[in-house]
Amino acid sequence: MTLEHPLDGTPQLPAEVLATMLREIRPLSDEARGLLLPMIEQRDELRDRLLGRGWIEPVDNRRAIGSTVAVDGAQVQEPLYAGDLVVAVAVAAEGLTPAGRLGESPVHSTWQRFLNHDGDNDRLAKVAMGAQELKLLQGLRHDMCILDGSHQTPVIVINSALSSQSAQVREKSLEVLQRYDCAAALRDLCDPELGGKIVASPKSDSSRDLIGLLQERFAQDRVFDLPGTDKVLASLVLEQGEMFQAFRVPKSWEGLHIATREELRRNRDDPLVKIANELNQAIQPLRDRKIRITYVKPFGSNTAVKVEFKERKGADWRRDVGAMVSAETPAPHLQEPFAQHLADQWAKSIGVGVQAQLQGMRLDLAESSDPMFLEYVLRSYRTTGG
């Protein structure tokens, strides 16, 4: 009896390629060591200086913990032979102690279109996701509402879509922004009062703004070599149950803008130009740098959570946020507040819905259209197997 190898007949990564990749493990380790070691070696001295200046304070776990909710989204672009199925969703999820308030306003939203192939369809998917997230946030009544990402994120996404070279993407983006009244929702997010309870928490963050600030403050008597990111620095310097004092967002925020393509701006009556101008006005508080940043290291955790909040809310609100973030992050199991984790997991389930839509669309076309249609929605540009 001859046993067949389970991978027989399936294309595999060539052994030479795999061997070459494995030989690069040591250089990769050296690069990781080069980023972390200097920060670890300087950690104690830097911490002492920050404590001496009052930049670190304990999280007050005696504070009353209010209701927490988070909003997150996901988007998929499925390239079929006939065109692209573009789908975006946004969902809201409550924290570890559900307040039972999700029934007071919409808690999920979906958007989907079948469009011609376009290299910028991913921009459309992202703006559809971002617009729905903003719309959900606008209706939530919890004590703290978490936007997954930065306050900058929707600005960058909207600007990217409206400045696309693709007329199709610009046209559909306009439809999305109008449908979800994105100008009003973005205005509420950025407004120091209306958006005061909304905080933003980027999970994946490459910023070095805090490091730059510390290097500048200590430059007179000590040069710190800190090659990593702010989030790594905060995780190393803070002890469990501590947080940083707030600092302003960097000057780069003054350049935030939303505009359509330059050649289109001459026609001020163009709906695309009008909505771009309206959206650009809505983000003025961001350009004025009315946002503060802190890092919180929850009790029991070895990692820090970055939080952006409205400057006008003050130190008491920062301490409330620190207490809520710490209480809602069950370490060591999660690295983010539970509501944010749950919303992320729900949003990622979009894949199941997209496959159901695809199969339903194929069945509908098979039953009610020319059979020739079917082949072009069955074939995909994706490579399968291997």
Side-chain angles (χ1 to χ4, degrees), residues 152 208-210 213 216 247-257 285-291 293:
Q152 296 182 93
R208 287 176 45 82
D209 305 314
L210 175 60
L213 178 63
E216 180 184 329
F247 59 97
R248 288 184 81 184
V249 294
K251 285 184 68 65
S252 59
W253 283 50
E254 294 174 2
L256 288 172
H257 64 277
L286 304 188
R287 280 192 293 268
D288 292 339
R289 299 168 64 201
K290 300 295 187 183
I291 306 296
I293 297 173

Short mmCIF file of all heavy atoms in Angstrom, two decimals, residues 152 208-210 213 216 247-257 285-291 293:
data_model
loop_
_atom_site.label_atom_id
_atom_site.label_comp_id
_atom_site.label_asym_id
_atom_site.label_seq_id
_atom_site.Cartn_x
_atom_site.Cartn_y
_atom_site.Cartn_z
N GLN A 152 -7.12 61.64 13.42
CA GLN A 152 -6.64 61.92 12.06
C GLN A 152 -7.17 60.93 11.03
O GLN A 152 -7.25 61.25 9.85
CB GLN A 152 -5.12 61.85 11.99
CG GLN A 152 -4.35 62.85 12.81
CD GLN A 152 -2.87 62.67 12.60
OE1 GLN A 152 -2.28 63.31 11.74
NE2 GLN A 152 -2.26 61.78 13.36
N ARG A 208 6.39 58.92 17.00
CA ARG A 208 7.57 59.17 17.84
C ARG A 208 7.51 60.60 18.40
O ARG A 208 8.53 61.20 18.70
CB ARG A 208 8.85 58.96 17.02
CG ARG A 208 9.14 57.50 16.72
CD ARG A 208 10.37 57.33 15.82
NE ARG A 208 11.50 58.15 16.23
CZ ARG A 208 12.37 57.83 17.20
NH1 ARG A 208 12.22 56.68 17.86
NH2 ARG A 208 13.37 58.63 17.51
N ASP A 209 6.30 61.11 18.53
CA ASP A 209 6.11 62.49 18.99
C ASP A 209 6.53 62.67 20.45
O ASP A 209 7.18 63.65 20.80
CB ASP A 209 4.65 62.91 18.81
CG ASP A 209 4.19 62.72 17.37
OD1 ASP A 209 4.93 63.10 16.46
OD2 ASP A 209 3.09 62.16 17.17
N LEU A 210 6.17 61.72 21.30
CA LEU A 210 6.54 61.79 22.71
C LEU A 210 8.06 61.68 22.85
O LEU A 210 8.67 62.42 23.63
CB LEU A 210 5.85 60.68 23.50
CG LEU A 210 6.24 60.55 24.97
CD1 LEU A 210 5.94 61.82 25.74
CD2 LEU A 210 5.54 59.35 25.62
N LEU A 213 9.61 64.93 21.96
CA LEU A 213 9.37 65.91 23.01
C LEU A 213 10.33 65.71 24.18
O LEU A 213 10.93 66.66 24.70
CB LEU A 213 7.92 65.81 23.48
CG LEU A 213 7.49 66.73 24.62
CD1 LEU A 213 7.60 68.19 24.20
CD2 LEU A 213 6.06 66.41 25.06
N GLU A 216 13.89 66.65 23.34
CA GLU A 216 14.03 68.11 23.31
C GLU A 216 14.11 68.68 24.73
O GLU A 216 14.95 69.55 25.01
CB GLU A 216 12.84 68.71 22.56
CG GLU A 216 12.86 70.22 22.45
CD GLU A 216 11.60 70.76 21.78
OE1 GLU A 216 11.02 70.05 20.93
OE2 GLU A 216 11.19 71.88 22.13
N PHE A 247 0.04 65.47 26.70
CA PHE A 247 0.82 66.40 25.88
C PHE A 247 0.06 66.65 24.58
O PHE A 247 -0.77 65.85 24.15
CB PHE A 247 2.24 65.86 25.60
CG PHE A 247 2.28 64.54 24.88
CD1 PHE A 247 2.46 64.48 23.51
CD2 PHE A 247 2.16 63.34 25.59
CE1 PHE A 247 2.52 63.27 22.84
CE2 PHE A 247 2.22 62.12 24.92
CZ PHE A 247 2.40 62.09 23.54
N ARG A 248 0.32 67.80 23.97
CA ARG A 248 -0.40 68.20 22.76
C ARG A 248 0.02 67.35 21.58
O ARG A 248 1.14 66.86 21.50
CB ARG A 248 -0.14 69.67 22.43
CG ARG A 248 -0.78 70.66 23.35
CD ARG A 248 -0.51 72.08 22.87
NE ARG A 248 -1.43 72.46 21.80
CZ ARG A 248 -1.36 73.62 21.16
NH1 ARG A 248 -0.41 74.48 21.45
NH2 ARG A 248 -2.24 73.91 20.24
N VAL A 249 -0.92 67.20 20.64
CA VAL A 249 -0.57 66.54 19.39
C VAL A 249 0.47 67.40 18.66
O VAL A 249 0.57 68.60 18.90
CB VAL A 249 -1.82 66.34 18.50
CG1 VAL A 249 -2.78 65.35 19.14
CG2 VAL A 249 -2.51 67.66 18.20
N PRO A 250 1.28 66.81 17.79
CA PRO A 250 2.39 67.54 17.17
C PRO A 250 1.93 68.60 16.17
O PRO A 250 0.78 68.61 15.73
CB PRO A 250 3.18 66.43 16.46
CG PRO A 250 2.18 65.37 16.20
CD PRO A 250 1.24 65.39 17.37
N LYS A 251 2.85 69.47 15.79
CA LYS A 251 2.56 70.57 14.86
C LYS A 251 2.12 70.06 13.49
O LYS A 251 1.47 70.79 12.74
CB LYS A 251 3.79 71.47 14.71
CG LYS A 251 4.04 72.38 15.89
CD LYS A 251 5.21 73.31 15.64
CE LYS A 251 4.91 74.34 14.55
NZ LYS A 251 3.84 75.28 14.91
N SER A 252 2.47 68.83 13.16
CA SER A 252 2.06 68.28 11.86
C SER A 252 0.55 68.27 11.68
O SER A 252 0.05 68.30 10.56
CB SER A 252 2.62 66.86 11.69
OG SER A 252 2.16 66.00 12.71
N TRP A 253 -0.20 68.27 12.80
CA TRP A 253 -1.67 68.28 12.71
C TRP A 253 -2.17 69.58 12.09
O TRP A 253 -3.29 69.62 11.58
CB TRP A 253 -2.28 68.08 14.10
CG TRP A 253 -2.25 66.66 14.58
CD1 TRP A 253 -1.16 65.83 14.60
CD2 TRP A 253 -3.34 65.91 15.12
NE1 TRP A 253 -1.51 64.61 15.13
CE2 TRP A 253 -2.84 64.62 15.46
CE3 TRP A 253 -4.68 66.19 15.36
CZ2 TRP A 253 -3.64 63.62 16.01
CZ3 TRP A 253 -5.49 65.20 15.93
CH2 TRP A 253 -4.98 63.93 16.23
N GLU A 254 -1.38 70.64 12.15
CA GLU A 254 -1.81 71.92 11.58
C GLU A 254 -1.98 71.82 10.06
O GLU A 254 -2.66 72.65 9.45
CB GLU A 254 -0.79 73.00 11.91
CG GLU A 254 -0.71 73.32 13.40
CD GLU A 254 0.40 74.29 13.74
OE1 GLU A 254 1.09 74.76 12.79
OE2 GLU A 254 0.58 74.60 14.94
N GLY A 255 -1.37 70.81 9.46
CA GLY A 255 -1.49 70.64 8.01
C GLY A 255 -2.60 69.72 7.57
O GLY A 255 -2.75 69.47 6.36
N LEU A 256 -3.41 69.23 8.50
CA LEU A 256 -4.52 68.36 8.12
C LEU A 256 -5.50 69.12 7.23
O LEU A 256 -5.83 70.28 7.48
CB LEU A 256 -5.26 67.86 9.37
CG LEU A 256 -4.53 66.82 10.21
CD1 LEU A 256 -5.30 66.56 11.50
CD2 LEU A 256 -4.34 65.52 9.44
N HIS A 257 -5.99 68.46 6.19
CA HIS A 257 -6.92 69.12 5.28
C HIS A 257 -7.74 68.08 4.53
O HIS A 257 -7.37 66.91 4.45
CB HIS A 257 -6.16 69.99 4.26
CG HIS A 257 -5.27 69.19 3.35
ND1 HIS A 257 -4.00 68.78 3.72
CD2 HIS A 257 -5.48 68.69 2.10
CE1 HIS A 257 -3.46 68.09 2.74
NE2 HIS A 257 -4.33 68.00 1.74
N PRO A 285 -10.78 72.26 14.67
CA PRO A 285 -10.22 71.99 16.01
C PRO A 285 -9.00 71.07 15.98
O PRO A 285 -8.14 71.17 16.85
CB PRO A 285 -11.39 71.35 16.76
CG PRO A 285 -12.62 71.87 16.06
CD PRO A 285 -12.24 71.96 14.62
N LEU A 286 -8.94 70.18 14.99
CA LEU A 286 -7.77 69.31 14.88
C LEU A 286 -6.56 70.12 14.42
O LEU A 286 -5.46 69.94 14.94
CB LEU A 286 -8.04 68.15 13.90
CG LEU A 286 -9.24 67.25 14.18
CD1 LEU A 286 -9.23 66.05 13.23
CD2 LEU A 286 -9.26 66.80 15.63
N ARG A 287 -6.78 71.01 13.44
CA ARG A 287 -5.67 71.88 12.98
C ARG A 287 -5.21 72.81 14.09
O ARG A 287 -4.05 73.19 14.16
CB ARG A 287 -6.10 72.68 11.75
CG ARG A 287 -6.05 71.90 10.45
CD ARG A 287 -6.19 72.84 9.27
NE ARG A 287 -7.52 73.43 9.20
CZ ARG A 287 -8.53 72.93 8.52
NH1 ARG A 287 -8.38 71.81 7.83
NH2 ARG A 287 -9.71 73.54 8.51
N ASP A 288 -6.15 73.19 14.97
CA ASP A 288 -5.81 74.05 16.11
C ASP A 288 -5.13 73.27 17.24
O ASP A 288 -4.81 73.85 18.28
CB ASP A 288 -7.06 74.74 16.64
CG ASP A 288 -7.63 75.76 15.67
OD1 ASP A 288 -6.88 76.23 14.79
OD2 ASP A 288 -8.84 76.08 15.77
N ARG A 289 -4.98 71.98 17.01
CA ARG A 289 -4.31 71.09 17.97
C ARG A 289 -5.01 71.10 19.33
O ARG A 289 -4.38 71.20 20.39
CB ARG A 289 -2.84 71.48 18.10
CG ARG A 289 -2.07 71.35 16.79
CD ARG A 289 -0.71 72.01 16.86
NE ARG A 289 0.16 71.36 17.82
CZ ARG A 289 1.23 71.93 18.38
NH1 ARG A 289 1.52 73.19 18.08
NH2 ARG A 289 1.99 71.27 19.22
N LYS A 290 -6.34 70.98 19.29
CA LYS A 290 -7.14 70.95 20.52
C LYS A 290 -7.26 69.53 21.08
O LYS A 290 -8.14 69.25 21.89
CB LYS A 290 -8.54 71.49 20.24
CG LYS A 290 -8.58 72.93 19.74
CD LYS A 290 -8.09 73.91 20.78
CE LYS A 290 -8.28 75.35 20.33
NZ LYS A 290 -7.73 76.31 21.32
N ILE A 291 -6.38 68.65 20.64
CA ILE A 291 -6.38 67.25 21.08
C ILE A 291 -5.14 67.01 21.93
O ILE A 291 -4.04 67.48 21.62
CB ILE A 291 -6.37 66.29 19.86
CG1 ILE A 291 -7.53 66.60 18.91
CG2 ILE A 291 -6.42 64.83 20.34
CD1 ILE A 291 -8.90 66.40 19.49
N ILE A 293 -2.83 63.90 24.16
CA ILE A 293 -2.49 62.48 24.12
C ILE A 293 -2.00 62.04 25.48
O ILE A 293 -1.26 62.77 26.16
CB ILE A 293 -1.40 62.20 23.07
CG1 ILE A 293 -1.88 62.55 21.66
CG2 ILE A 293 -0.95 60.73 23.12
CD1 ILE A 293 -0.80 62.47 20.60
#
